[in-house]
């Protein structure tokens, strides 16, 4: 079983649509969770951290369900500029000592069409 | 953004060549990382350095040799690579302070092609 598993995608949605990405992780000891965004041929960039209480940043909402080991990202009113690959990222080790060990999902590609 | 820089951005090399990738971070971070990203595969962690000391090597072949002379610089020395080593090599850094988050910031990557 993969340590971090995401929706395979790709997702093609019209502008203004709401789209949700799902992610599951296998290690119940995981402590930190993130969504990164990677544009074509560019480096990954942090989109948002994910907290147990859920967090929202403008049109983006992230949720974490520790019991189900499930993370989600919701994008409302999608824009053309949201087209990218979204990476679910988990700190499997759970330790902040001696560097953090992030494990990345394969990513879900999103294309927002005019 | 110039927080983490990498050179060169593109590299084509033969299997008998020796080359080095360079990474520099300007964020005052204490931990640095090398990742490999192959097509249609998730990022794979290769090496972790914390305070210039290597703390993890994820079973990477010896033809990849990292070097961290100080907390701002990280190198990846390459020799006798194989065509399957062609990939995007990403450098990242993080604060590595238990009081802070472990967010990693990535450089733009070096796209490596091995002929």
């Amino acid at each position: 079983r993969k340590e971090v598993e995401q929706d395979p995608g790709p997702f093609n949605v019209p502008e203004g649509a709401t789209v949700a990405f799902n992610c599951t992780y296998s290690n119940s000891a995981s402590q930190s969770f993130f969504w990164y965004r990677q544009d074509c041929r560019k480096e990954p960039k942090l989109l948002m951290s994910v907290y147990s209480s859920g967090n929202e940043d403008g049109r983006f909402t992230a949720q974490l369900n520790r019991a189900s080991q499930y993370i989600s990202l919701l994008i409302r009113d999608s824009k053309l500029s949201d087209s990218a690959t979204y990476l679910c990222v988990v700190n499997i080790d759970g330790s902040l000592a001696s560097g953090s060990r992030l494990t990345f999902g394969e990513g879900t590609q999103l294309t927002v069409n005019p | 953004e110039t927080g983490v820089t990498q050179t060169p951005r593109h590299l084509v090399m033969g299997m008998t060549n020796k080359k080095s990738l360079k990474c520099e971070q300007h964020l005052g971070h204490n931990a640095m990382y090398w990742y490999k990203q192959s097509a249609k595969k998730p990022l794979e962690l290769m090496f972790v350095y914390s305070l210039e000391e290597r703390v993890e090597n994820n079973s990477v072949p010896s033809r990849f040799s990292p070097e961290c002379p100080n907390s701002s610089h990280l190198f990846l020395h390459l020799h006798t690579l194989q065509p399957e080593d062609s990939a995007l090599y990403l450098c990242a850094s993080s604060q590595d302070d238990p009081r802070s988050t472990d967010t990693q910031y990535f450089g733009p990557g070096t796209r490596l092609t091995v002929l």
Side-chain angles (χ1 to χ4, degrees), chain A residues 9-104:
Chain A
F11 283 54
N12 283 279
V13 303
E15 263 187 298
T18 296
V19 60
F21 302 131
N22 301 314
C23 173
T24 56
Y25 59 95
S26 60
N27 189 329
S28 59
S30 300
Q31 297 293 323
S32 307
F33 310 89
F34 310 90
W35 284 101
Y36 275 71
R37 170 194 168 131
Q38 187 171 22
D39 292 287
C40 186
R41 305 184 77 81
K42 295 283 187 71
E43 73 274 21
K45 292 184 178 180
L46 179 67
L47 179 65
M48 57 199 306
S49 301
V50 188
Y51 305 112
S52 297
S53 54
N55 47 306
E56 188 173 312
D57 182 3
R59 297 180 293 107
F60 299 83
T61 301
Q63 297 277 353
L64 167 65
N65 184 323
R66 286 187 183 272
S68 304
Q69 295 178 206
Y70 169 88
I71 306 160
S72 66
L73 176 68
L74 183 76
I75 306 176
R76 290 182 298 278
D77 188 24
S78 52
K79 312 290 185 190
L80 297 177
S81 56
D82 294 334
S83 297
T85 296
Y86 290 83
L87 304 169
C88 177
V89 184
V90 177
N91 184 339
I92 297 289
D93 186 292
S95 167
L96 293 176
S98 301
S100 59
R101 291 150 181 77
L102 301 184
T103 300
F104 288 75

Side-chain angles (χ1 to χ4, degrees), chain A residues 32 34 36 38 41-46 49 51 87 91 93 95-106, chain B residues 1 31 33 35 37 40 42-43 45 48 50 55-56 88 90 94 96-98 100 102-104 106-108 111:
Chain A
S32 307
F34 310 90
Y36 275 71
Q38 187 171 22
R41 305 184 77 81
K42 295 283 187 71
E43 73 274 21
K45 292 184 178 180
L46 179 67
S49 301
Y51 305 112
L87 304 169
N91 184 339
D93 186 292
S95 167
L96 293 176
S98 301
S100 59
R101 291 150 181 77
L102 301 184
T103 300
F104 288 75
E106 292 185 14
Chain B
E1 294 182 17
Y33 312 80
Y35 286 88
Q37 188 174 35
K40 300 191 185 302
L43 271 76
L45 179 65
V48 180
S50 175
V55 296
E56 186 158 326
L88 179 68
L90 290 158
S94 68
D96 189 29
D97 180 339
S100 73
D102 46 358
T103 302
Q104 292 185 13
F106 286 83
R111 190 159 295 280

Side-chain angles (χ1 to χ4, degrees), chain B:
Chain B
E1 294 182 17
T2 57
V4 183
T5 58
Q6 289 186 244
T7 55
R9 295 294 305 278
H10 301 272
L11 178 62
V12 180
M13 59 188 289
M15 289 190 284
T16 58
N17 291 156
K18 289 185 181 180
K19 297 287 183 182
S20 295
L21 309 185
K22 179 183 176 182
C23 175
E24 184 173 358
Q25 58 95 2
H26 311 273
L27 301 169
H29 289 167
N30 294 319
M32 296 186 77
Y33 312 80
W34 278 116
Y35 286 88
K36 175 183 178 181
Q37 188 174 35
S38 304
K40 300 191 185 302
K41 293 177 70 174
L43 271 76
E44 301 171 57
L45 179 65
M46 300 175 72
F47 299 104
V48 180
Y49 275 84
S50 175
L51 295 172
E52 304 144 51
E53 187 176 326
R54 188 160 75 190
V55 296
E56 186 158 326
N57 169 0
N58 275 355
S59 302
V60 179
S62 60
R63 57 185 184 268
F64 295 91
S65 175
E67 178 190 0
C68 187
N70 55 62
S71 59
S72 299
H73 294 84
L74 185 65
F75 295 89
L76 187 63
H77 304 300
L78 316 171
H79 63 97
T80 59
L81 294 193
Q82 305 297 313
E84 60 264 29
D85 296 323
S86 299
L88 179 68
Y89 288 84
L90 290 158
C91 174
S93 71
S94 68
Q95 186 62 45
D96 189 29
D97 180 339
R99 297 166 296 179
S100 73
T101 65
D102 46 358
T103 302
Q104 292 185 13
Y105 297 85
F106 286 83
T110 295
R111 190 159 295 280
L112 174 67
T113 303
V114 181
L115 302 177

